[in-house]
Amino acid sequence: MSAGLAAIELVRVRLPLKRSFRTSFGTSTNKECVLVRAIGADDAEGWGECTAMEAPRYSGEWNDGAWLVLRDHLIPATLAGQPTGVRGHPMAAAALEVALTDLELRAKGVSLASHLGGVRDRVPCGVSLGIEERIDDLLELVKRFLDAGYRRVKLKIEPGHDVEPVSAVRAAFPEAPLSVDANAAYTLETSDAILPLDDLALEYIEQPLPEDDLLGHIELQRRIASPICLDETITSARVARGAVELGACRIINVKLGRVGGLTEALRIHDLAREARVPLWVGGMLETGIGRAANVALASLPGFTLPGDTSASDRYFEHDVTEPFVVDADGMMAVPDGPGLGVVPVPDRLEAAVIDRVSVWP
Ligand code: OSB
Ligand code: MG
């Protein structure tokens, strides 16, 4: 992989979110992340985005840790043409893998979607709405995104903000495709509080229990009719196989960062497809760089459900790339240019940069 690599640069960016995003693990008002820029011998570039957040609350990774493991371990090994030997840090590893793949595919003139085996040129889009203090605000947001054509609306929940807001949304929008995401906020014992959600015709209940509670999810899935969709739990193809075979979930959310990159995401795709488990591509409020990779992944045949592949303007006033848009029918075009098919727009990137460092061989 190191052939033709002159250097790799880390670029940390911060973009204000249009609306703060509250989940059961915290509130984000900015999107801050590390971008990886692989530089070829001929000044060619490849980009990848690390999906870690500011604090280790969704998973154990966070931006400062990702910066160091990339700078001091993953990148030096890669530039030396050595295996990295790094355990963990899947989001950091995935960002580097995508940047190297983008560089390689640009040289070949092949899009990431076709490299991965994509079969669609547009993908269905959902939106993920944060916890709102006021139910009226939530209802207004749901209406706005349904009117814009989004094909599924996911509502974040936590203890104290669950059955009441979700029932209000269901009452106001009887036919809307709705789901909920608890980000691991319940235990099997406290999950009785959300059993009434089972009567609200949800598409699925995402990650109700802690990420390592496979037995809990198996038990809860036996008790409820709504499918459980796992997010945080699915860290590898091996875990995915166990979760599917043991009945811990009926749907899987695939995130490139969480599973450690494209290779592992493809393994999960293939085994879930074989097992007829529907997939969708999750999101981490990505900039256009991470979004391009997500949308390419969503073009594969196993991704049959709408992903958290929302338009750039759902998150940011100004993305670092040209904005991704959702058409009136709730579909988003898959980039068809070489590699990711998008690059940072220089002045938009400059406006967002808060730190950079280059690593040479
Ligand atoms: O659990 O899917 C999640 C955002 C940050 C961290 C975790 C999650 C999310 C989202 C937003 O739900 C999805 C998106 O629009 O990118
Ligand atoms: Mg989730």
Side-chain angles (χ1 to χ4, degrees):
M1 258 310 201
S2 70
L5 262 184
I8 298 179
E9 187 183 19
L10 298 179
V11 183
R12 187 151 164 174
V13 296
R14 178 188 294 150
L15 300 175
L17 289 171
K18 279 181 158 179
R19 185 181 188 89
S20 64
F21 187 71
R22 174 169 163 202
T23 68
S24 63
F25 61 80
T27 303
S28 301
T29 50
N30 291 293
K31 170 63 186 176
E32 202 173 309
C33 67
V34 179
L35 301 178
V36 178
R37 175 174 168 246
I39 306 164
D42 46 1
D43 273 356
E45 292 182 345
W47 288 87
E49 174 169 336
C50 175
T51 58
M53 303 175 81
E54 274 304 87
R57 292 192 184 138
Y58 164 81
S59 72
E61 285 185 282
W62 82 110
N63 289 337
D64 293 323
W67 184 268
L68 293 181
V69 80
L70 280 159
R71 188 192 70 185
D72 297 346
H73 298 279
L74 293 167
I75 292 175
T78 300
L79 290 171
Q82 305 285 330
T84 71
V86 168
R87 281 188 198 272
H89 306 280
M91 294 173 177
L96 180 56
E97 187 202 29
V98 170
L100 297 172
T101 304
D102 184 35
L103 180 68
E104 191 183 300
L105 294 178
R106 277 176 202 281
K108 289 191 197 158
V110 173
S111 73
L112 180 60
S114 66
H115 170 72
L116 295 175
V119 295
R120 287 182 263 273
D121 58 10
R122 298 199 317 152
V123 297
C125 300
V127 66
S128 172
L129 299 180
I131 294 165
E132 294 288 333
E133 233 12 90
R134 301 181 56 244
I135 287 180
D136 283 352
D137 289 344
L138 182 62
L139 293 174
E140 190 191 313
L141 285 167
V142 172
K143 179 177 184 335
R144 183 193 306 170
F145 288 99
L146 288 173
D147 287 349
Y150 282 86
R151 295 188 175 212
R152 177 270 284 145
V153 176
K154 166 170 130 182
L155 309 172
K156 291 290 188 179
I157 58 168
E158 66 180 1
H161 296 87
D162 43 36
V163 175
E164 195 187 344
V166 180
S167 301
V169 172
R170 174 51 82 213
F173 305 97
E175 305 291 331
L178 298 177
S179 66
V180 296
D181 186 358
N183 287 108
Y186 301 85
T187 64
L188 185 60
E189 291 69 33
T190 64
S191 67
D192 284 357
I194 54 170
L195 293 180
L197 295 177
D198 205 24
D199 298 326
L200 296 180
L202 301 176
E203 305 293 307
Y204 47 84
I205 297 178
E206 184 174 343
Q207 196 70 42
L209 309 180
E211 57 270 33
D212 59 357
D213 196 0
L214 208 54
L215 286 176
H217 284 107
I218 293 165
E219 180 59 33
L220 184 58
Q221 183 66 92
R222 285 200 192 111
R223 292 183 193 167
I224 62 178
S226 312
I228 289 177
C229 171
L230 289 177
D231 173 350
E232 284 89 330
T233 294
I234 307 297
T235 52
S236 69
R238 272 189 291 265
V239 173
R241 177 173 295 285
V244 166
E245 291 198 1
L246 297 171
C249 66
R250 297 194 190 132
I251 297 176
I252 294 175
N253 160 338
V254 180
K255 290 179 180 169
L256 283 172
R258 194 195 64 227
V259 307
L262 299 164
T263 309
E264 199 67 13
L266 287 177
R267 287 193 190 110
I268 295 172
H269 172 268
D270 293 350
L271 77 85
R273 210 177 164 216
E274 177 100 357
R276 300 188 194 290
V277 169
L279 301 175
W280 54 279
V281 174
M284 297 289 290
L285 315 177
E286 285 90 346
T287 77
I289 296 298
R291 194 162 307 280
N294 290 351
V295 175
L297 182 64
S299 74
L300 271 68
F303 290 92
T304 53
L305 298 177
D308 278 344
T309 46
S310 310
S312 300
D313 73 1
R314 177 261 178 282
Y315 311 92
F316 317 116
E317 206 68 57
H318 302 288
D319 203 337
V320 300
T321 62
E322 293 298 339
F324 279 80
V325 297
V326 169
D327 300 330
D329 60 354
M331 303 290 282
M332 178 180 280
V334 180
D336 59 2
L340 292 176
V342 301
V343 283
V345 176
D347 56 324
R348 292 184 169 198
L349 181 65
E350 285 323 307
V353 172
I354 54 174
D355 202 2
R356 28 191 3 148
V357 64
S358 291
V359 186
W360 283 277

